[in-house]
Every structure is written in structure tokens, then in C-alpha cells.
Amino acid sequence: PARDGASNAAAGGSPGSAGAVSGRDSSESFLLEGLRMALMGMLDPPEAAGRPPRTTTNLSSASSGSLALIQSRFPGLWDSYREVSGLAKERAALLEEVAALAQERAALLDQSRQLQDEAFALQQDLAVQRAAVEASQQSESKKQFEKLLAQQRHAMQLGFDGEVGPLRQQLEETRRHLQEREAEAAQLRAELAETRRQSRNSTMQI
């Protein structure tokens, strides 16, 4: 009988042990489910405690039941879950902000490269235009210089002709005077020769 009682006690203890194991497995499952939702940022933050939980609208009935069970049986853990959920939301928001900033940075870099290309093209155009203007100015300056040089040459020629004209006239007058003097000298020589001839003839007659 004692053995039977022990056997009955052992048999009677088996259902309780199985229930404890089953309850522990169930607790672990809904705790894991709550942790998963907290890590996904699906729980309301602690400051939303006064508002209706959003699990009533956007979560399945099983998930809502798990969260309600955690909130009732493990209030301290529930608060920790909500804090973890809030951090997960903040992390997701920061990741979205970082992604937006990265896109904005990429757009700014593209715009900066485009502006640099446009600035380089403008610099090249400016260099070409400047070279063309300098070439035009040099050509115009050369033409102006040649024009001024021609005018100066013409003025010098006019001045030279104006100065040489009187000199030529004086030279002609001097030449004419010389010719007249030479003619007078020739006439005097002729008269002197005639006088000498007459003088010799007179001497010979005497």
C-alpha cells in the first residue's frame, strides 16, 4: 500500500509538473513575442500610458492578448518593453533621418559637381573670349599704329618737301648766278685776249 501510495503520489504529481512546464513555455512564448514587438517599436512609449493602447487597433488578437498578459503579470517588464520599443522607434527615425541626410548630401554633391563643371566651362569661355578680345585689340592697335605711322611719314614728307623746295630754289638761283658770272668771266677773258692781241700788234708796228 505504501508503494501504491507513493506510486499514486508520483502519478498525482505528474499532471502538476506538466502544467508548470506548459505554463513556463507559454510564458516564454508570449514574453518572446512581446520582446519581438518591442524591438520592432510596436509598443506605445511610457508617456502614452494614459491613452488607449494602439494594440487594440493595429495588432492581431493573439499579440494583443500576449501584451495584455505581460502588462498584467509583469508590469515592471512591461515598462521595460515600452522603453525598448521607444528606443527602437527613435533608432528607426534616426536611420530614416540619416538616410534622408545621405540622399540630400548626394544631391548636394551632384549639384556641386554640376556647378563646378559649369564654372569650368564658363572659365574656358571667358578665356576664349579674352583671347579673342586681346587679339582684336592687338590687331586694332596695329592698324592704328600703322595709320599713325603713315600720317607721320606723310607729314614728314610734306615738311621735307616744304623745306627742300626753297633750298632747291636757292640752289637754282645760285647756279644761275654762277652761270652769269662764268659768262661775264668768259667775256672778260675774251676782251683781255683781244686787248693783248691789239697790244702786240701795236708793238710790232712800232
Side-chain angles (χ1 to χ4, degrees):
R3 186 182 297 117
D4 292 340
S7 297
N8 291 333
S14 295
S17 298
V21 172
S22 177
R24 185 170 62 249
D25 293 339
S26 178
S27 297
E28 291 179 355
S29 64
F30 67 74
L31 288 175
L32 290 175
E33 178 68 14
L35 180 60
R36 181 185 66 81
M37 288 188 289
L39 293 174
M40 294 176 64
M42 299 175 65
L43 304 180
D44 291 327
E47 58 270 15
R51 297 196 298 267
R54 60 176 192 155
T55 55
T56 59
T57 57
N58 57 358
L59 293 178
S60 64
S61 59
S63 299
S64 298
S66 298
L67 295 178
L69 185 59
I70 297 172
Q71 187 176 6
S72 62
R73 294 183 58 183
F74 306 98
L77 186 60
W78 170 251
D79 292 337
S80 298
Y81 277 9
R82 288 195 299 174
E83 292 178 359
V84 170
S85 179
L87 293 175
K89 289 179 182 179
E90 292 180 2
R91 180 178 180 275
L94 288 175
L95 289 176
E96 291 179 358
E97 186 177 356
V98 169
L101 290 175
Q103 291 179 355
E104 184 178 359
R105 180 177 180 274
L108 290 175
L109 288 176
D110 292 338
Q111 186 177 4
S112 177
R113 283 192 292 266
Q114 184 177 359
L115 291 175
Q116 288 178 356
D117 294 339
E118 291 178 358
F120 181 73
L122 289 175
Q123 288 179 354
Q124 288 184 335
D125 292 340
L126 181 60
V128 172
Q129 293 178 3
R130 183 179 299 171
V133 170
E134 290 178 354
S136 177
Q137 290 178 350
Q138 289 178 358
S139 177
E140 188 66 24
S141 299
K142 184 178 179 181
K143 291 180 180 179
Q144 188 70 19
F145 175 75
E146 291 178 352
K147 182 178 179 180
L148 293 175
L149 183 61
Q151 292 177 354
Q152 186 176 4
R153 287 177 179 175
H154 182 67
M156 291 177 64
Q157 186 66 34
L158 291 177
F160 179 76
D161 292 340
E163 292 178 358
V164 170
L167 291 176
R168 287 179 179 177
Q169 186 176 0
Q170 292 178 3
L171 181 61
E172 291 295 332
E173 291 178 357
T174 303
R175 186 179 298 172
R176 187 172 62 254
H177 288 309
L178 288 175
Q179 290 177 354
E180 291 176 356
R181 295 289 182 85
E182 287 179 357
E184 292 177 356
Q187 185 177 359
L188 290 173
R189 283 195 298 271
E191 292 178 355
L192 181 60
E194 181 64 23
T195 301
R196 288 179 179 178
R197 186 179 63 78
Q198 292 178 358
S199 177
R200 284 197 302 268
N201 290 335
S202 298
T203 303
M204 290 179 61
Q205 291 178 358
I206 296 173

